[in-house]
Amino acid sequence: SLIGINRSEGNASTGRTTNLSLINHNIYTHIKDKFQNTYIQAVSNSDNDNTIVSDEKWSVVVIREPFLLHQFRDDVKFTLSNDEIEEEEEENRRATERIKCVQCNDFYIEQDNRMGACVHHDGFIYDNYSSRLEVWTQRGAIEQLLKEEARSIQPSAYGMQASEQKEHLERMKQRFKFICCHQTLFIGGMMGGCKKGKHSSPNVTVEKWEETCHENVLEIVDLHCCDIDDLSSVVK
């Protein structure tokens, strides 16, 4: 191969990165210039003006490396086929379209979806103050906490709160726990996670992810040593 590709890998905050660069750049420039000088020109035959003769100058370049192929194709402004146009549009979509991850509730770009980019919890939430250890989804628990917080700040509903009542409300805010790591669910701040992995696929719905988290329901038996009947509460 006259022209090679230099690969260098490293670690970044977003994961493993790979940088590519050309080897023998002078040869690459020479071949690119020669390729751009090719042409097909129609000229008239001097003996018979009705006959058209094509004067052609061809160049053939064989490229196996995808990175080098894209680089060369862009530099010489080579006409793309329909399949190549569709492939390029798909690459542009993957590089620009923002996708909502149902695991961490954040947006990501498909080409940046590396291992460790998504920090999330993969277990359901349970009410630690409930005698039946009620099981909740994260959406349902957050909605319940927001409702309780809204009611607690309405003077018309509660008037001036006693210190014991305020302490009770504060304790109630911390009753929801993740089964996967027992971390407390809080609202109004960044929620981390105990698992690191890739973001969810675009076709995964929130309901499907909640169902996956709920499949860990039997783990709570070992945690609290309770009867299996106590886990029969409806997911909220």
Side-chain angles (χ1 to χ4, degrees):
S1 177
L2 296 176
I3 304 170
I5 300 297
N6 181 38
R7 299 175 182 269
S8 60
E9 296 185 353
N11 294 319
S13 58
T14 56
R16 195 75 173 170
T17 60
T18 302
N19 296 320
L20 303 176
S21 59
L22 297 177
I23 300 175
N24 297 331
H25 197 275
N26 291 336
I27 298 179
Y28 172 81
T29 303
H30 175 75
I31 295 175
K32 181 189 67 175
D33 293 340
K34 289 293 184 180
F35 189 87
Q36 289 176 314
N37 289 330
T38 59
Y39 61 85
I40 298 178
Q41 182 177 2
V43 296
S44 299
N45 193 323
S46 58
D47 297 332
N48 186 355
D49 293 339
N50 294 327
T51 303
I52 303 299
V53 179
S54 296
D55 183 16
E56 302 180 1
K57 182 179 180 181
W58 286 73
S59 291
V60 178
V61 179
V62 179
I63 303 176
R64 298 178 180 177
E65 171 61 44
F67 170 77
L68 182 58
L69 174 61
H70 284 79
Q71 182 73 32
F72 186 81
R73 190 175 60 188
D74 292 341
D75 288 343
V76 301
K77 296 179 174 56
F78 193 79
T79 303
L80 304 180
S81 65
N82 291 333
D83 291 341
E84 289 174 328
I85 292 175
E86 292 178 359
E87 180 182 352
E88 190 172 81
E89 290 176 348
E90 177 64 17
E91 290 181 358
N92 291 334
R93 183 196 65 79
R94 295 182 59 187
T96 57
E97 183 180 13
R98 300 180 70 204
I99 304 172
K100 182 68 172 293
C101 175
V102 299
Q103 298 171 173
C104 64
N105 204 33
D106 199 1
F107 289 93
Y108 70 94
I109 297 175
E110 188 172 351
Q111 69 175 15
D112 295 335
N113 190 13
R114 303 183 179 92
M115 183 61 65
C118 178
V119 181
H120 60 275
H121 296 283
D122 63 351
F124 61 84
I125 294 174
Y126 64 95
D127 186 347
N128 198 39
Y129 285 5
S130 170
S131 60
R132 295 179 59 84
L133 296 173
E134 291 181 347
V135 178
W136 293 69
T137 64
Q138 184 171 342
R139 288 187 302 165
I142 291 176
E143 182 180 354
Q144 180 65 22
L145 289 175
L146 290 173
K147 288 180 179 179
E148 294 174 358
E149 185 178 46
R151 288 197 299 264
S152 67
I153 61 177
Q154 293 178 3
S156 58
Y158 290 95
M160 295 298 294
Q161 298 176 357
S163 59
E164 295 82 2
Q165 189 176 8
K166 289 182 179 180
E167 291 178 2
H168 173 73
L169 292 174
E170 289 299 322
R171 288 196 301 269
M172 292 296 290
K173 290 180 181 180
Q174 303 179 29
R175 71 185 188 275
F176 290 120
K177 310 285 185 181
F178 287 95
I179 186 62
C180 49
C181 63
H182 320 311
Q183 181 179 342
T184 302
L185 172 68
F186 291 102
I187 58 175
M190 292 295 295
M191 174 58 67
C194 60
K195 301 294 189 300
K196 286 186 177 182
K198 288 186 175 182
H199 292 290
S200 61
S201 301
N203 59 341
V204 177
T205 63
V206 177
E207 291 76 15
K208 180 62 177 178
W209 174 243
E210 290 174 345
E211 180 182 341
T212 301
C213 294
H214 187 56
E215 291 176 356
N216 297 323
V217 69
L218 294 180
E219 295 182 13
I220 201 171
V221 178
D222 297 331
L223 175 64
H224 292 278
C225 300
C226 59
D227 295 331
I228 191 65
D229 293 338
D230 292 337
L231 302 176
S232 60
S233 56
V234 178
V235 177
K236 298 186 178 181

